[in-house]
Amino acid sequence: MLAELHIRDFAIISEINISFSPGFNAFTGETGAGKSIIIDALDLVLGGRASPDMVRTGASSSLIQAMFVLEGDVLREVSELLESNGLDPSEELIITREISSSGRSSARINGSLVPVTLLRQLGENLVDITGQSEHLVLLRPSAQRDVLDHYAGATDLRSEVSQLYNEIRQVQSELDALVSGQREAERRADMLRYQIEEISSADLQPGEDEELLKRRNLLANAEKLAQLADNAYQSLYSSSTSAIDQLQQAQSLLEELVRFDNSLSSNLDMISEAVVAVEEASLSIRRYRDSIEFDPGMLEVVEERLDLINRLKRKYGATIEEILQYRDSAEAELSDIQNSDEKIRKLETQLENLRQQLAQKAKALSSIRSKAAKDLGRKIEQELKDLLMTNAQIEIKVGYKQPSDYSISIDGTEVGIDQTGADDIELLVSPNPGEPLKPIAKVASGGEISRIMLAIRTVLSAADNTPTLVFDEVDVGIGGRSGRIVGEKLAGLASNHQVIAITHLAQVAAYADTHFKITKVIQDNLTTTRVDKLDREGIRHELAAMLGGMPVTDRSLQSADELIDLAKRSRRLSLAS
């Protein structure tokens, strides 16, 4: 349950601290005193949307802190959620939300910074807020569907339907893209085949272009190279004044000298080595000269090959390696295109299987809803009888959607479907005898909608383990006679839940276990809110003021006492039964 709520510099609230009690906690006060602001603060600390406008004028930030005391299933569920987010579980949970005037906000759980999304998850386990806007929300079929699914315990099955639906739409989108792209894919395939053939027929080899460039250089300069090589050969070996003849003559002279003076033997060795080196170089140069090709036809072949390689480079890559990589990629893409027919067949099979699963799940969900709708309708009618709508009739109409852009077949019938299933759901009401059942938005008054909302919450609470139920002016549009019944209902809910209600009716507030009065105070030209927990005498005067206005009279006090006594007797009778 909610044990304490601390609010500082929020809207017109300067600073308040509220200690709640188990059972029924009622808040009363004049219009504009800040009753609903307290609910807004509670919503914010449970992950609601923050805005810098919420910060009190002149303050740098707002702070809202709520302390919850947990037990039973709620303690277990919250502990699992905390542990999954790396936080230590505890029977006391302190949630803090701070908003700066610049718009930045922070959230903490037991002192540890957490994302706001975690607060929202926790809030679903801790508090159920029924605000004034929910009366209008109830007019929407989507909200009526949520109520029915919650009552039917069908939320998990509905999630499965939603998951299947989204998966089908994804597969359908992929299939549509493949089918619509087949013609373009065929054109692409023709181009890829041409490119692959063009590259493959060239039979390129890595490094081939570099070798061809070298060979082209030799062929293009063959005559010059041959002439140069021949001149070098003649200079070294074959002319009358060749280097080899000169060296051999020098060698003979040194041999003669060494016979007389061997100090020149090392010089002779060098000359002898030079003779051998020149002879070997001469033979190598002659072989090179003789190997040079004078073949214009081969030069043309090399030029054509280089031209082919350069054309392929301009199309497919800067190097032969890149060209070959492009061919490999093109072959892989062509393979994918050629396999698209098989892929389409697989997707069609997958789609059909998913559609069958969706049809089965949607049919099961529809069956659960139809059965629960009758039971829920009867229970709401019974609650409305207690709320003085004795002759009201309720029907929750469940029927298949009309075929639409996306439909499935259920038992041979084409029905529309979306993430919520295949059903249209509408809450029909006949408030008075003789009136036909019509959508609630067309026939119910504000007070009737409030009572229907309370009836639904009362029915749902039996299967709801949310510890704290908050009602923000659920008695809007309701008079004093009906207000007493609303008070009884809220007191009944308080036997299994902590109930917090903002009310403008003394007939409702009289049933509270704890009564808080909210007052608007002006200090230093600033408006602020004050919250007081009333004792018995304070409760008498507040109820008297609510009944007869100010100033409080003996007669209004007597009426207040009668209300208090009536509420006590009613609660004793309720407990006895």
Side-chain angles (χ1 to χ4, degrees):
M1 68 168 228
L2 176 61
E4 290 188 15
L5 182 64
H6 178 74
I7 305 172
R8 189 200 71 211
D9 293 327
F10 182 74
I12 64 170
I13 296 174
S14 175
E15 186 166 20
I16 59 174
N17 194 74
I18 306 171
S19 295
F20 293 90
S21 304
F24 182 9
N25 297 260
F27 286 83
T28 61
E30 62 183 286
T31 300
K35 298 187 294 297
S36 292
I37 294 174
I38 293 173
I39 306 302
D40 293 340
L42 180 58
D43 178 67
L44 186 70
V45 84
L46 294 174
R49 184 182 295 274
S51 166
D53 296 337
M54 295 174 172
V55 179
R56 178 174 165 81
T57 301
S60 60
S61 65
S62 292
L63 178 75
I64 300 98
Q65 190 171 75
M67 184 177 79
F68 293 87
V69 177
L70 311 177
E71 59 183 14
D73 290 340
V74 175
L75 174 60
R76 177 181 54 79
E77 292 168 2
V78 169
S79 295
E80 290 175 357
L81 184 57
L82 293 175
E83 288 176 338
S84 67
N85 284 274
L87 300 173
D88 295 328
S90 172
E91 293 180 357
E92 286 190 356
L93 188 70
I94 298 175
I95 302 175
T96 306
R97 188 85 185 270
E98 189 168 7
I99 314 163
S100 72
S101 56
S102 64
R104 292 164 51 184
S105 73
S106 62
R108 295 177 185 272
I109 294 176
N110 290 343
S112 298
L113 278 170
V114 296
V116 174
T117 52
L118 180 56
L119 300 191
R120 286 196 285 270
Q121 290 176 284
L122 283 170
E124 293 174 1
N125 290 282
L126 298 173
V127 177
D128 185 349
I129 300 177
T130 302
Q132 298 179 52
S133 62
E134 285 203 40
H135 302 156
L136 302 178
V137 169
L138 184 61
L139 304 182
R140 299 203 300 260
S142 60
Q144 296 164 18
R145 181 188 297 110
D146 292 343
V147 167
L148 178 59
D149 288 345
H150 179 73
Y151 175 78
T155 52
D156 288 344
L157 181 55
R158 176 167 149 179
S159 296
E160 292 177 25
V161 167
S162 177
Q163 184 176 347
L164 280 169
Y165 176 83
N166 291 332
E167 189 174 354
I168 285 173
R169 295 307 296 263
Q170 184 177 347
V171 173
Q172 184 71 61
S173 176
E174 187 177 351
L175 180 60
D176 290 345
L178 278 175
V179 171
S180 64
Q182 272 189 312
R183 183 175 299 176
E184 178 60 34
E186 197 53 48
R187 285 197 292 268
R188 175 68 175 166
D190 287 341
M191 184 179 71
L192 290 171
R193 291 189 192 96
Y194 172 81
Q195 292 174 337
I196 292 167
E197 174 60 25
E198 184 178 34
I199 296 172
S200 297
S201 62
D203 194 25
L204 301 177
Q205 302 298 322
E208 177 185 0
D209 50 346
E210 295 175 3
E211 293 298 324
L212 286 171
L213 286 171
K214 292 178 182 177
R215 191 170 185 191
R216 183 183 68 175
N217 187 50
L218 292 176
L219 288 169
N221 296 284
E223 184 176 354
K224 183 177 181 180
L225 294 173
Q227 184 62 51
L228 291 170
D230 184 65
N231 289 343
Y233 176 71
Q234 290 186 30
S235 296
L236 288 172
Y237 199 80
S238 64
S239 69
S240 58
T241 58
S242 66
I244 192 69
D245 288 343
Q246 297 295 323
L247 285 170
Q248 286 176 342
Q249 183 178 359
Q251 183 183 27
S252 296
L253 293 171
L254 282 171
E255 287 174 348
E256 186 69 24
L257 279 169
V258 166
R259 280 199 294 268
F260 295 101
D261 184 359
N262 63 3
S263 65
L264 294 174
S265 60
S266 61
N267 299 85
L268 176 60
D269 291 340
M270 286 188 285
I271 293 298
S272 298
E273 290 173 0
V275 170
V276 172
V278 169
E279 286 178 338
E280 289 178 353
S282 299
L283 291 174
S284 177
I285 291 170
R286 187 179 69 184
R287 286 195 296 271
Y288 172 78
R289 181 199 64 189
D290 295 343
S291 70
I292 292 173
E293 297 179 74
F294 294 91
D295 189 345
M298 179 55 67
L299 177 61
E300 185 177 352
V301 169
V302 171
E303 291 282 11
E304 289 176 353
R305 182 67 175 171
L306 282 169
D307 184 59
L308 171 62
I309 292 173
N310 287 331
R311 286 202 311 272
L312 294 177
K313 283 182 177 180
R314 285 193 294 272
K315 288 183 178 182
Y316 306 118
T319 65
I320 288 179
E321 287 76 9
E322 289 182 9
I323 295 171
L324 295 176
Q325 287 174 2
Y326 182 92
R327 180 194 62 188
D328 294 343
S329 298
E331 288 175 340
E333 185 180 351
L334 179 61
S335 177
D336 286 342
I337 293 173
Q338 291 171 337
N339 291 331
S340 64
D341 288 343
E342 179 62 25
K343 194 178 278 188
I344 287 173
R345 284 191 292 273
K346 286 182 178 179
L347 286 174
E348 288 174 338
T349 301
Q350 182 184 2
L351 187 61
E352 183 57 31
N353 289 336
L354 288 171
R355 288 170 68 90
Q356 290 177 7
Q357 293 178 51
L358 179 60
Q360 292 172 357
K361 297 284 187 183
K363 180 181 177 181
L365 180 58
S366 183
S367 176
I368 291 172
R369 283 170 169 169
S370 296
K371 183 178 179 181
K374 295 177 181 177
D375 190 46
L376 178 58
R378 284 193 298 267
K379 290 184 177 180
I380 293 174
E381 283 182 1
Q382 184 58 51
E383 293 295 331
L384 289 176
K385 284 181 173 62
D386 295 341
L387 290 165
L388 302 183
M389 291 180 67
T390 308
N391 297 307
Q393 289 181 287
I394 297 289
E395 180 184 337
I396 301 173
K397 187 178 178 181
V398 179
Y400 284 142
K401 295 177 182 291
Q402 290 297 315
S404 59
D405 292 341
Y406 191 79
S407 302
I408 59 170
S409 177
I410 298 180
D411 295 336
T413 302
E414 285 294 311
V415 299
I417 193 164
D418 59 22
Q419 291 97 329
T420 65
D423 304 304
D424 280 327
I425 294 168
E426 191 168 29
L427 178 60
L428 303 178
V429 179
S430 171
N432 303 300
E435 294 182 7
L437 289 161
K438 292 182 180 180
I440 184 173
K442 294 183 178 179
V443 296
S445 66
E448 287 168 339
I449 293 174
S450 294
R451 281 180 279 179
I452 292 170
M453 189 76 233
L454 179 58
I456 290 172
R457 286 297 178 199
T458 302
V459 173
L460 295 181
S461 69
D464 190 356
N465 66 348
T466 306
T468 300
L469 306 180
V470 177
F471 296 90
D472 184 6
E473 297 197 16
V474 72
D475 52 10
V476 64
I478 293 176
R481 186 179 173 208
S482 298
R484 182 177 61 81
I485 309 299
V486 171
E488 288 181 357
K489 289 295 179 186
L490 293 176
L493 288 173
S495 62
N496 295 309
H497 304 267
Q498 180 190 43
V499 172
I500 299 171
I502 290 176
T503 179
H504 66 283
L505 289 177
Q507 290 84 352
V508 174
Y511 283 82
D513 298 293
T514 305
H515 191 149
F516 297 93
K517 181 181 178 181
I518 302 176
T519 309
K520 182 167 59 176
V521 180
I522 299 177
Q523 293 178 339
D524 300 326
N525 292 323
L526 284 176
T527 301
T528 187
T529 294
R530 174 178 170 178
V531 178
D532 294 299
K533 183 177 180 180
L534 302 180
D535 57 16
R536 175 174 171 76
E537 194 60 26
I539 292 171
R540 289 182 68 232
H541 278 77
E542 176 66 4
L543 294 181
M546 294 173 73
L547 288 167
M550 296 295 288
V552 172
T553 65
D554 290 341
R555 185 174 179 179
S556 61
L557 282 171
Q558 183 180 353
S559 297
D561 290 335
E562 290 172 357
L563 265 184
I564 294 170
D565 291 340
L566 179 62
K568 285 182 179 179
R569 288 197 304 271
S570 176
R571 297 193 69 169
R572 281 198 298 267
L573 288 173
S574 177
L575 289 172
S577 61

